[in-house]
Amino acid sequence: MKNNIKKNRNPIFWVIVILILFLISCDTQKKTKVAETKEITTTKKNNLDLEEQEGEQSNNNKSLDKFSKKLSLSKDDFSDLEFLKETLSDKRVVMLGESSHGVSEYNAMKTRLIKFLHQEMGYQVLAFESPMADVWTAQQTSSQYSSKELVRRSLFVVWHTKNVDTLYDYIKGSHQSEPPLNLVGFDMQAPIGAYGVYFKEKYKGTNPELAMSVYESEIQFRDLYNRGELNQEKINSLIKGYKKIEEMLPDAQNELANFEVHKHFIEDRVKSLEGYYSLPKDSNDRSIIRDKIMAENLDWLLSELYPDQKIIVWAHNEHIRNNVSNGKKNASMGELLEQSGKYSTYTLGLYLVDGDLANNYGEIYSARVFDKNSLEKRIAKSGYPITFLDINGATEFEENGWLNDWTTTYIAGRKISSLKPAKNYDGVIVFNEVSPPEYLIFE
């Protein structure tokens, strides 16, 4: 073929060859331009879609930003909390929750909030999720013991931490001036023992029989529970002992300071033994009864013991949340208190996104909050290390409708749950990074 081409010297032949090559070249360029045009068009469209998505996200953030506040754990003043004066101006009860009992930042933030509420807004009572009588006893004996020892004698071990020790030190100091911050519990679980010891020492001289009866019942209840020996026979024996104390109390009314307080504590013991502890350990009704009795205890604190005071409540999120029952019997303590319609309440849940925390036995593990549409992840988009969101205000915006819908959240940084944020809380605080508490060491 090559030889034939070289030998062919006809001009017309070469014109035809050149024309064919030219046409082929033009067609290739045309196809290239079409491909480039398509690519440019696609790129522009993708960029436009991305810009629209970013714009939507920005709008969401802007609508949340109006009700999102950056909080701090390191400020020496309360400047970042000043907005709460308006938010909580008409609230008699502020409930401070936590998604886990093992987060240092939760304890530190709640301590800071309590100081602010006490100093700046006149809240004078702190009610703790620990045995009612034992926490009250810590208040009565605060001048006799160190803050560390008071923590040990009044609170469940999950709160035997340095942050809570700092809070107790503040409470002790508050009683050196006016107004003091008073301390009380509201839980109905087994006693720690401090109340029994206090009652015996205070009344053994004036009513030794009653003093020893209270002491022995409290210590026996505590020890049986701690040893895992609280069977029905022993529960019945404890109930009999406490009912005997109930019969003895009226005759000692003139001898006892705070008679109505002691009467309520003994009634609380009977209710917990007859209702909560008489059920199998795996019964779902246990948690229902516990929240019911805790709600009754809070109602008593608000209406009888501190009828003219504003109260701060320290508890787990699951106890303070509203509207958890959906018409069923499993209402939380917070929901039951809300249903009473007697008290204006602000419910504040605390959540985390990442970091390490401790379980109820002090064992450290890492958080696993993966769902990008979870309550935690959505609020963390504020960009703040710690974000306060006033849910009541944020729901004014249509694009925040998700606050009224079922939303994923995480209990203790791992257990997946779901809730309707606006139905359960008035506000939430989300921590981007957390760490486990530093626990107190007792000799």
Side-chain angles (χ1 to χ4, degrees):
M1 182 68 178
K2 291 181 180 178
N3 292 334
N4 292 335
I5 291 175
K6 287 182 179 179
K7 290 178 181 179
N8 194 334
R9 301 187 182 278
N10 189 334
I12 295 174
F13 170 80
W14 289 109
V15 170
I16 293 171
V17 170
I18 293 170
L19 181 61
I20 290 171
L21 293 173
F22 175 75
L23 292 173
I24 291 172
S25 175
C26 288
D27 185 60
T28 301
Q29 291 179 16
K30 181 179 179 182
K31 287 180 180 179
T32 302
K33 287 182 178 180
V34 169
E36 289 175 349
T37 301
K38 286 182 178 178
E39 184 178 352
I40 291 170
T41 302
T42 301
T43 302
K44 285 183 177 179
K45 184 179 184 302
N46 289 340
N47 288 341
L48 182 60
D49 289 344
L50 183 60
E51 288 173 3
E52 288 175 353
Q53 291 171 8
E54 289 176 346
E56 289 174 2
Q57 183 61 60
S58 177
N59 287 337
N60 280 334
N61 284 340
K62 285 179 181 177
S63 65
L64 285 179
D65 279 350
K66 182 177 180 181
F67 300 97
S68 296
K69 304 292 183 181
K70 179 181 178 181
L71 300 188
S72 172
L73 290 176
S74 58
K75 278 186 174 290
D76 294 329
D77 58 26
F78 296 129
S79 57
D80 59 322
L81 301 177
E82 283 293 317
F83 70 93
L84 288 172
K85 289 182 177 179
E86 180 178 356
T87 304
L88 306 177
S89 60
D90 61 343
K91 306 302 180 185
R92 186 177 172 204
V93 182
V94 175
M95 294 195 176
L96 304 179
E98 56 193 35
S99 66
S100 165
H101 295 319
V103 176
S104 177
E105 287 75 12
Y106 287 178
N107 294 337
M109 179 56 72
K110 290 167 87 167
T111 295
R112 193 160 176 266
L113 286 167
I114 289 164
K115 291 179 179 180
F116 170 80
L117 292 171
H118 174 235
Q119 294 178 29
E120 301 293 326
M121 297 195 67
Y123 287 80
Q124 294 181 33
V125 181
L126 172 60
F128 231 106
E129 183 194 332
S130 280
M132 190 176 206
D134 291 311
V135 184
W136 177 86
T137 300
Q139 168 75 37
Q140 308 309 307
T141 59
S142 62
S143 62
Q144 301 174 32
Y145 301 102
S146 67
S147 57
K148 179 180 175 181
E149 180 62 16
L150 289 171
V151 168
R152 187 184 69 83
R153 297 167 65 87
S154 64
L155 299 181
F156 294 139
V157 294
V158 292
W159 290 301
H160 289 185
T161 71
K162 291 197 173 181
N163 281 330
V164 177
D165 181 28
T166 299
L167 172 62
Y168 264 50
D169 190 56
Y170 171 80
I171 293 170
K172 278 174 59 72
S174 75
H175 285 263
Q176 305 304 314
S177 59
E178 292 293 333
L181 178 60
N182 295 302
L183 186 63
V184 72
F186 58 86
D187 205 342
M188 39 58 62
Q189 293 193 87
I192 295 171
Y195 173 66
V197 173
Y198 165 80
F199 195 96
K200 182 186 73 170
E201 293 302 313
K202 189 168 182 67
Y203 297 110
K204 64 183 180 182
T206 56
N207 197 326
E209 183 183 5
L210 177 61
M212 287 305 299
S213 294
V214 171
Y215 171 76
E216 289 173 355
S217 292
E218 288 285 281
I219 300 306
Q220 185 182 18
F221 190 178
R222 179 198 67 187
D223 292 347
L224 287 171
Y225 174 79
N226 289 343
R227 293 197 301 262
E229 299 174 359
L230 202 58
N231 58 38
Q232 193 59 54
E233 180 182 354
K234 290 173 180 175
I235 289 171
N236 291 338
S237 177
L238 284 170
I239 292 171
K240 183 178 179 180
Y242 279 114
K243 285 190 172 181
K244 181 183 177 182
I245 294 170
E246 282 186 312
E247 294 173 357
M248 297 169 68
L249 279 174
D251 293 334
Q253 184 168 354
N254 294 332
E255 304 167 15
L256 301 179
N258 302 301
F259 171 77
E260 292 298 330
V261 172
H262 298 299
K263 180 173 177 287
H264 184 87
F265 290 164
I266 301 304
E267 290 171 352
D268 180 66
R269 291 287 187 250
V270 174
K271 281 195 292 185
S272 69
L273 286 163
E274 288 184 333
Y276 181 85
Y277 286 104
S278 291
L279 291 171
K281 290 182 179 180
D282 59 353
S283 172
N284 291 330
D285 288 340
R286 269 196 161 200
S287 62
I288 296 169
I289 290 173
R290 183 184 175 202
D291 272 84
K292 181 176 182 295
I293 297 176
M294 290 196 298
E296 291 170 353
N297 285 339
L298 270 181
D299 181 50
W300 178 78
L301 291 174
L302 287 158
S303 61
E304 300 294 332
L305 191 57
Y306 297 107
D308 301 318
Q309 300 295 335
K310 296 193 290 185
I311 291 183
I312 308 162
V313 176
W314 180 310
H316 196 283
N317 285 345
E318 297 303 297
H319 294 309
I320 69 168
R321 284 170 50 193
N322 292 318
N323 299 304
V324 298
S325 65
N326 295 316
K328 300 178 183 178
K329 64 178 182 178
N330 59 322
S332 69
M333 175 192 72
E335 181 176 357
L336 290 168
L337 202 67
E338 184 73 15
Q339 287 175 356
S340 74
K342 295 161 67 174
Y343 313 108
S344 55
T345 302
Y346 193 93
T347 303
L348 184 62
L350 272 63
Y351 287 92
L352 62 93
V353 175
D354 200 3
D356 294 333
L357 57 160
N359 63 20
N360 287 353
Y361 303 100
E363 300 164 339
I364 311 301
Y365 65 94
S366 296
R368 292 178 180 172
V369 178
F370 296 134
D371 189 343
K372 66 180 181 180
N373 291 317
S374 66
L375 173 72
E376 294 90 338
K377 291 277 191 178
R378 284 176 181 266
I379 295 175
K381 288 177 181 177
S382 68
Y384 302 144
I386 307 172
T387 305
F388 176 101
L389 175 66
D390 180 32
I391 293 178
N392 292 339
T395 51
E396 294 178 6
F397 288 83
E398 184 178 349
E399 56 264 42
N400 292 326
W402 64 270
L403 289 167
N404 289 303
D405 296 333
W406 287 108
T407 304
T408 298
T409 189
Y410 293 79
I411 299 173
R414 279 200 178 184
K415 183 181 178 182
I416 296 176
S417 182
S418 62
L419 51 75
K420 294 182 178 180
K423 301 293 184 182
N424 292 162
Y425 298 111
D426 298 297
V428 290
I429 300 177
V430 173
F431 298 75
N432 282 7
E433 187 82 20
V434 300
S435 58
E438 188 174 353
Y439 291 99
L440 297 171
I441 298 175
F442 298 97
E443 296 179 357

